[in-house]
C-alpha cells in the first residue's frame, strides 16, 4: 500500500524544544502568562533558600543556647533526623515544582515560535466559566483546571488545542475529586459525528480518571485483534463507528499511539494520553503531530459532510452538550452512568487526610519502635 504523502506539521517545528529554557525566557513566560511576581521562579527560589537557611541557623544556635549533652539520646537523635527530613521534604517539593515550571516554559517557547496562543492556567466549571469542551474528559458539572494550554486555528483542520487537565474538583466546597490527571489534544471536525470512544484496554486513560463507560455497544472490528483498542458507540451507530475506525486504522494507531484513547463527539475529536507524556521533548511532540495527522487522514476525512435522512434524524436527536449519564442525556451518546472507578461527586478531602495521617502515624510508630525505643532502653 502506498504511503501517505508527507504534510507539514500540524502544530509546528518541534526542534525549538531541544534547548533548555533560559532565565530570560522564564521571566518573559511569567509576564506574558500573567503569573504574579510572588509565583515567579526567582521569588519561590528565594523563599526556599531563606527557609532552609533560617532552619539551619536555628540548628546552629541550639547547641549554643542549650546544653545538648544533657539531652537524652532520643532527643539528640531527633535533632539529627528532623533537619534531614525537613530539608528533603522542602527540596523535593521545590524540585518537583521547578521541573514542571521549566517544562511549561519550553512549551510556551514552542507556542510563541509557532504562532500559538498559550494559557498558563484555564479553570472552567460551575461558578467560574462554562467549558467549551464537549469531550467526556470535561464533564459540565465539575470544576476543571487545565495547565499549559496552547493551540491555533489551522486552515485545513480548524482549531487545534493541546493541554493538561491537572485537577478536577466537585462544585461542592467540602468534597474534592482526586481523579487521575491526563493530557489531551483536540481538533475540530468538518461535520457532526456520532459519539464514538476508542478505549485502550492496556493503557486506560479515561477509566483511571474516573470516567469509565457504562451502557454502550462494544465493538471489536473484524480481523485479528492485534491491537489493544475497543470501539464504543451508542446502539444504532455500529456501522458508522466501524466505518471510521476500521481494523487497519486501529492497527496503525496502535503502532503510533498505543498509550492513547480517542473520542469523536459532536464536531470535535479528542486524543487523551498520560499526564506525564513529555510533550516538552521534540520526539513526543513530533509523535503527537504524527498521530493527529493520521487521524485527520484516516478518520476525519471519512466523516461525511452530509448524512442521509436516517442518519440526520439520529444525529439531530442528540443534544450538542449535556451531562453524560444524567436522566436527560441522549440515547445517542455513550452512557457514562455505569461502571465508574470513583463516583461523580469525588472522594471527600477529609477521607484522604485521614488515610495520609494513618500511614504517617504507622511510619512514625515503626521508626520509634525500631530505632528510638532501643536507644532509650539502653540509656
Amino acid at each position: 500500500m502506498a504511503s501517505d504523502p508527507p504534510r507539514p506539521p500540524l502544530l509546528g517545528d518541534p526542534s525549538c524544544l531541544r534547548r533548555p529554557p533560559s532565565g530570560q525566557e522564564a521571566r518573559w513566560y511569567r509576564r506574558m502568562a500573567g503569573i504574579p511576581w510572588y509565583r515567579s521562579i526567582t521569588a519561590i527560589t528565594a523563599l526556599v533558600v531563606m527557609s532552609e537557611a533560617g532552619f539551619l541557623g536555628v540548628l546552629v544556635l541550639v547547641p549554643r543556647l542549650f546544653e545538648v549533652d544533657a539531652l537524652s539520646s532520643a532527643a539528640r537523635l531527633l535533632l539529627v533526623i528532623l533537619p534531614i527530613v525537613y530539608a528533603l521534604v522542602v527540596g523535593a517539593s521545590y524540585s518537583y515544582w521547578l521541573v514542571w515550571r521549566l517544562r511549561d516554559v519550553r512549551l510556551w517557547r514552542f507556542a510563541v515560535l509557532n504562532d500559538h496562543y498559550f494559557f498558563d492556567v484555564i479553570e472552567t466549571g460551575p461558578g467560574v466559566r462554562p467549558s467549551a469542551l464537549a469531550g467526556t474528559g470535561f464533564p459540565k458539572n465539575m470544576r476543571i483546571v487545565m495547565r499549559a494550554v496552547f493551540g491555533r486555528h489551522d486552515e485545513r483542520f480548524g482549531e487545534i488545542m493541546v493541554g493538561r487537565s491537572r485537577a478536577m474538583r466537585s462544585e461542592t466546597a467540602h468534597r474534592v475529586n482526586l481523579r487521575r490527571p491526563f493530557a489531551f489534544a483536540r481538533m475540530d471536525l468538518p461535520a457532526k459525528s456520532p459519539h464514538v470512544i476508542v478505549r485502550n484496554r492496556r493503557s486506560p486513560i479515561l477509566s483511571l480518571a474516573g470516567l469509565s463507560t457504562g451502557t454502550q455497544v462494544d465493538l471489536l472490528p473484524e480481523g485479528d485483534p492485534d491491537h489493544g483498542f475497543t470501539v464504543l458507540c451508542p446502539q444504532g451507530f455500529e456501522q458508522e463507528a466501524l466505518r471510521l475506525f476500521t481494523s487497519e486504522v486501529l492497527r496503525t494507531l496502535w503502532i503510533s499511539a498505543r498509550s492513547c484513547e480517542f473520542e469523536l463527539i459532536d464536531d470535535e475529536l479528542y486524543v487523551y494520553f498520560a499526564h506525564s507524556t513529555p510533550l516538552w521533548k521534540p520526539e513526543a511532540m513530533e509523535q503527537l503531530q504524527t498521530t493527529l495527522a493520521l487521524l485527520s487522514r484516516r478518520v476525519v476525512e471519512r466523516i461525511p459532510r452530509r448524512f442521509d435522512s436516517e442518519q440526520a434524524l439520529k444525529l439531530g436527536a442528540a443534544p450538542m452538550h449535556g451531562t453524560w449519564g444524567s436522566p436527560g442525556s441522549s440515547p445517542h451518546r455513550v452512557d457514562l452512568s455505569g461502571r465508574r472507578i470513583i463516583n461523580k461527586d469525588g472522594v471527600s478531602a477529609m477521607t484522604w487526610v485521614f488515610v495520609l495521617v494513618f500511614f504517617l502515624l504507622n511510619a512514625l510508630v515503626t521508626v520509634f519502635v525500631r530505632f528510638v525505643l532501643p536507644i532509650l532502653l539502653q540509656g
Side-chain angles (χ1 to χ4, degrees), residues 53-315:
F55 194 76
L56 180 61
V58 172
L59 292 178
V60 172
L61 292 176
V62 165
R64 298 177 180 273
L65 300 177
F66 302 95
E67 292 291 339
V68 179
D69 296 336
L71 298 177
S72 63
S73 301
R76 291 198 299 269
L77 181 62
L78 288 177
L79 287 178
V80 175
I81 293 178
L82 286 179
I84 296 176
V85 172
Y86 177 83
L88 290 177
V89 170
V90 173
S93 302
Y94 170 74
S95 299
Y96 178 84
W97 172 85
L98 181 62
V99 165
W100 277 102
R101 173 55 61 87
L102 294 179
R103 290 170 178 174
D104 289 348
V105 173
R106 289 199 188 203
L107 293 175
W108 168 82
R109 181 206 297 153
F110 173 83
V112 169
L113 295 180
N114 290 285
D115 297 325
H116 291 268
Y117 59 78
F118 184 92
F119 294 96
D120 176 60
V121 179
I122 297 179
E123 187 170 354
T124 63
V128 184
R129 70 176 75 175
S131 174
L133 302 179
T136 297
F138 308 94
K140 304 300 180 186
N141 62 332
M142 302 294 295
R143 299 189 68 179
I144 303 170
V145 179
M146 295 177 288
R147 297 296 306 270
V149 179
F150 62 93
R152 68 180 178 185
H153 183 82
D154 186 88
E155 294 181 358
R156 293 172 296 166
F157 308 106
E159 185 181 9
I160 304 176
M161 177 190 297
V162 181
R164 300 192 308 269
S165 179
R166 294 188 61 103
M168 287 179 158
R169 56 184 182 271
S170 66
E171 52 191 297
T172 59
H174 303 291
R175 299 184 69 84
V176 178
N177 192 313
L178 299 177
R179 293 177 174 178
R180 179 176 176 178
F182 57 86
F184 69 94
R186 174 201 170 277
M187 289 178 58
D188 284 336
L189 295 179
K192 195 175 180 182
S193 167
H195 189 197
V196 181
I197 294 178
V198 180
R199 185 174 60 185
N200 194 318
R201 299 191 301 271
R202 302 182 186 177
S203 300
I205 302 297
L206 291 177
S207 61
L208 292 180
L211 295 165
S212 291
T213 51
T215 306
Q216 77 284 312
V217 178
D218 291 20
L219 301 175
L220 192 60
E222 296 179 359
D224 295 332
D226 52 355
H227 55 76
F229 294 126
T230 299
V231 180
L232 311 179
C233 71
Q235 189 173 9
F237 287 92
E238 295 87 349
Q239 293 183 357
E240 289 87 348
L242 292 179
R243 188 181 301 122
L244 296 174
F245 290 97
T246 63
S247 293
E248 179 185 356
V249 170
L250 294 177
R251 282 195 295 267
T252 306
L253 286 173
W254 187 248
I255 295 174
S256 63
R258 65 174 55 213
S259 61
C260 299
E261 292 186 325
F262 311 95
E263 180 179 23
L264 300 178
I265 182 168
D266 293 336
D267 55 352
E268 300 176 1
L269 179 148
Y270 289 88
V271 181
Y272 301 102
F273 43 98
H275 177 267
S276 58
T277 302
L279 292 179
W280 54 89
K281 295 183 179 180
E283 297 78 11
M285 183 64 72
E286 183 66 32
Q287 189 67 33
L288 174 61
Q289 298 190 74
T290 300
T291 301
L292 292 176
L294 174 64
L295 289 169
S296 67
R297 293 193 302 267
R298 303 291 182 86
V299 177
V300 175
E301 293 181 0
R302 294 185 180 184
I303 297 177
R305 302 307 194 269
R306 296 180 180 178
F307 298 92
D308 57 34
S309 57
E310 183 180 357
Q311 290 174 318
L313 180 62
K314 288 194 296 183
L315 286 175

